[in-house]
Amino acid sequence: MFMEWELLNVVGTIAFAASGAIIAMDEKYDIFGVWLLAFITAFGGGAIRNVLLGNPVSLIWQQNDLFILCFLVALLIFLLPSVVLPHWERWGVIVDAIGLVAFAFQGAQVAIKLDLPLSAAIAAAVLTGVGGGVVRDLLAGRKPLVLQSEVYAIWAILIAVITYYFKLEGGLAVYALLIVVATLRVISYYRKWNLPARKVR
């Protein structure tokens, strides 16, 4: 389980750091802004989750290797946008989907290991999967995407429910779950699946 946990951490960090850096550059932020949004996108959701679950927030500072990885990903995108961005436009939604499911599973696991109920597992999965992105969008002066159109947080909820009821911790079952849900996320993006929304005059 430890190796799987580390792999999910690496994948999620790369995906979300890249997302934060690209949005910062799209808003013409300087290099500090690029690093800040990359960091917040990658680690903000986990920090918010820890606050909500009563976990020590200081646990976030035990991830030095992931901090360095986040720093390097953002720096690479900042220095070589013409090399990275064309590939991101093609593969970004897939990478983001992998990051979403990886972090959502981790969030659910944290709540489950604390013997908390399903509602806490769902909240932890959603916050870990989308919390950093919401803060990123707010800092970039954008309406959080997860709150206005796409079916996004639903996939984190699905992972939490399945993980909780089937007591998934590791192995092929976890990878199968993450692959299926990540695929559904990509399909929902291209098919433009949206939750119902209404506008009051």
Side-chain angles (χ1 to χ4, degrees), residues 12-26:
T13 299
I14 292 173
F16 284 1
S19 171
I22 289 169
I23 286 182
M25 291 177 63
D26 192 45

PDB file of all heavy atoms in Angstrom, residues 12-26:
ATOM      1  N   GLY A  12      -0.727  12.709  -8.752  1.00  0.00           N
ATOM      2  CA  GLY A  12      -1.609  13.822  -8.426  1.00  0.00           C
ATOM      3  C   GLY A  12      -0.867  15.140  -8.340  1.00  0.00           C
ATOM      4  O   GLY A  12      -1.364  16.181  -8.804  1.00  0.00           O
ATOM      5  N   THR A  13       0.324  15.120  -7.771  1.00  0.00           N
ATOM      6  CA  THR A  13       1.109  16.349  -7.640  1.00  0.00           C
ATOM      7  C   THR A  13       1.505  16.901  -9.007  1.00  0.00           C
ATOM      8  O   THR A  13       1.388  18.110  -9.262  1.00  0.00           O
ATOM      9  CB  THR A  13       2.379  16.090  -6.796  1.00  0.00           C
ATOM     10  OG1 THR A  13       1.992  15.665  -5.483  1.00  0.00           O
ATOM     11  CG2 THR A  13       3.217  17.352  -6.689  1.00  0.00           C
ATOM     12  N   ILE A  14       1.971  16.040  -9.892  1.00  0.00           N
ATOM     13  CA  ILE A  14       2.350  16.491 -11.237  1.00  0.00           C
ATOM     14  C   ILE A  14       1.143  17.089 -11.960  1.00  0.00           C
ATOM     15  O   ILE A  14       1.221  18.170 -12.557  1.00  0.00           O
ATOM     16  CB  ILE A  14       2.937  15.321 -12.049  1.00  0.00           C
ATOM     17  CG1 ILE A  14       4.287  14.895 -11.477  1.00  0.00           C
ATOM     18  CG2 ILE A  14       3.087  15.705 -13.523  1.00  0.00           C
ATOM     19  CD1 ILE A  14       4.855  13.648 -12.119  1.00  0.00           C
ATOM     20  N   ALA A  15       0.018  16.387 -11.906  1.00  0.00           N
ATOM     21  CA  ALA A  15      -1.177  16.836 -12.616  1.00  0.00           C
ATOM     22  C   ALA A  15      -1.648  18.193 -12.117  1.00  0.00           C
ATOM     23  O   ALA A  15      -1.912  19.115 -12.906  1.00  0.00           O
ATOM     24  CB  ALA A  15      -2.284  15.793 -12.461  1.00  0.00           C
ATOM     25  N   PHE A  16      -1.765  18.341 -10.800  1.00  0.00           N
ATOM     26  CA  PHE A  16      -2.324  19.564 -10.260  1.00  0.00           C
ATOM     27  C   PHE A  16      -1.328  20.723 -10.273  1.00  0.00           C
ATOM     28  O   PHE A  16      -1.711  21.877 -10.433  1.00  0.00           O
ATOM     29  CB  PHE A  16      -2.860  19.317  -8.854  1.00  0.00           C
ATOM     30  CG  PHE A  16      -4.177  18.578  -8.852  1.00  0.00           C
ATOM     31  CD1 PHE A  16      -4.774  18.167 -10.027  1.00  0.00           C
ATOM     32  CD2 PHE A  16      -4.821  18.288  -7.663  1.00  0.00           C
ATOM     33  CE1 PHE A  16      -5.981  17.497 -10.031  1.00  0.00           C
ATOM     34  CE2 PHE A  16      -6.034  17.613  -7.644  1.00  0.00           C
ATOM     35  CZ  PHE A  16      -6.617  17.212  -8.837  1.00  0.00           C
ATOM     36  N   ALA A  17      -0.045  20.425 -10.088  1.00  0.00           N
ATOM     37  CA  ALA A  17       0.965  21.477 -10.196  1.00  0.00           C
ATOM     38  C   ALA A  17       0.977  22.053 -11.601  1.00  0.00           C
ATOM     39  O   ALA A  17       1.052  23.279 -11.801  1.00  0.00           O
ATOM     40  CB  ALA A  17       2.338  20.933  -9.825  1.00  0.00           C
ATOM     41  N   ALA A  18       0.895  21.188 -12.602  1.00  0.00           N
ATOM     42  CA  ALA A  18       0.860  21.643 -13.987  1.00  0.00           C
ATOM     43  C   ALA A  18      -0.377  22.489 -14.248  1.00  0.00           C
ATOM     44  O   ALA A  18      -0.300  23.550 -14.888  1.00  0.00           O
ATOM     45  CB  ALA A  18       0.892  20.442 -14.933  1.00  0.00           C
ATOM     46  N   SER A  19      -1.509  22.056 -13.732  1.00  0.00           N
ATOM     47  CA  SER A  19      -2.752  22.804 -13.914  1.00  0.00           C
ATOM     48  C   SER A  19      -2.647  24.199 -13.308  1.00  0.00           C
ATOM     49  O   SER A  19      -3.024  25.193 -13.939  1.00  0.00           O
ATOM     50  CB  SER A  19      -3.909  22.033 -13.264  1.00  0.00           C
ATOM     51  OG  SER A  19      -5.081  22.805 -13.240  1.00  0.00           O
ATOM     52  N   GLY A  20      -2.135  24.272 -12.075  1.00  0.00           N
ATOM     53  CA  GLY A  20      -1.990  25.573 -11.420  1.00  0.00           C
ATOM     54  C   GLY A  20      -1.033  26.482 -12.156  1.00  0.00           C
ATOM     55  O   GLY A  20      -1.292  27.686 -12.334  1.00  0.00           O
ATOM     56  N   ALA A  21       0.095  25.941 -12.615  1.00  0.00           N
ATOM     57  CA  ALA A  21       1.091  26.744 -13.324  1.00  0.00           C
ATOM     58  C   ALA A  21       0.532  27.278 -14.630  1.00  0.00           C
ATOM     59  O   ALA A  21       0.751  28.451 -14.991  1.00  0.00           O
ATOM     60  CB  ALA A  21       2.340  25.904 -13.582  1.00  0.00           C
ATOM     61  N   ILE A  22      -0.193  26.454 -15.359  1.00  0.00           N
ATOM     62  CA  ILE A  22      -0.727  26.873 -16.654  1.00  0.00           C
ATOM     63  C   ILE A  22      -1.774  27.964 -16.496  1.00  0.00           C
ATOM     64  O   ILE A  22      -1.795  28.946 -17.250  1.00  0.00           O
ATOM     65  CB  ILE A  22      -1.298  25.653 -17.404  1.00  0.00           C
ATOM     66  CG1 ILE A  22      -0.143  24.759 -17.865  1.00  0.00           C
ATOM     67  CG2 ILE A  22      -2.136  26.088 -18.595  1.00  0.00           C
ATOM     68  CD1 ILE A  22      -0.583  23.411 -18.384  1.00  0.00           C
ATOM     69  N   ILE A  23      -2.643  27.832 -15.508  1.00  0.00           N
ATOM     70  CA  ILE A  23      -3.650  28.874 -15.287  1.00  0.00           C
ATOM     71  C   ILE A  23      -2.985  30.166 -14.842  1.00  0.00           C
ATOM     72  O   ILE A  23      -3.381  31.259 -15.266  1.00  0.00           O
ATOM     73  CB  ILE A  23      -4.686  28.392 -14.259  1.00  0.00           C
ATOM     74  CG1 ILE A  23      -5.605  27.363 -14.915  1.00  0.00           C
ATOM     75  CG2 ILE A  23      -5.487  29.564 -13.690  1.00  0.00           C
ATOM     76  CD1 ILE A  23      -6.701  26.838 -14.033  1.00  0.00           C
ATOM     77  N   ALA A  24      -1.949  30.076 -14.012  1.00  0.00           N
ATOM     78  CA  ALA A  24      -1.221  31.285 -13.595  1.00  0.00           C
ATOM     79  C   ALA A  24      -0.596  31.978 -14.798  1.00  0.00           C
ATOM     80  O   ALA A  24      -0.654  33.216 -14.920  1.00  0.00           O
ATOM     81  CB  ALA A  24      -0.136  30.913 -12.582  1.00  0.00           C
ATOM     82  N   MET A  25      -0.015  31.225 -15.713  1.00  0.00           N
ATOM     83  CA  MET A  25       0.589  31.820 -16.903  1.00  0.00           C
ATOM     84  C   MET A  25      -0.477  32.386 -17.832  1.00  0.00           C
ATOM     85  O   MET A  25      -0.270  33.405 -18.478  1.00  0.00           O
ATOM     86  CB  MET A  25       1.443  30.781 -17.623  1.00  0.00           C
ATOM     87  CG  MET A  25       2.693  30.403 -16.839  1.00  0.00           C
ATOM     88  SD  MET A  25       3.669  29.122 -17.650  1.00  0.00           S
ATOM     89  CE  MET A  25       4.139  29.961 -19.151  1.00  0.00           C
ATOM     90  N   ASP A  26      -1.621  31.730 -17.881  1.00  0.00           N
ATOM     91  CA  ASP A  26      -2.726  32.241 -18.688  1.00  0.00           C
ATOM     92  C   ASP A  26      -3.195  33.592 -18.184  1.00  0.00           C
ATOM     93  O   ASP A  26      -3.667  34.438 -18.958  1.00  0.00           O
ATOM     94  CB  ASP A  26      -3.874  31.233 -18.671  1.00  0.00           C
ATOM     95  CG  ASP A  26      -4.934  31.535 -19.715  1.00  0.00           C
ATOM     96  OD1 ASP A  26      -4.561  31.829 -20.868  1.00  0.00           O
ATOM     97  OD2 ASP A  26      -6.134  31.488 -19.393  1.00  0.00           O
TER      98      ASP A  26
END
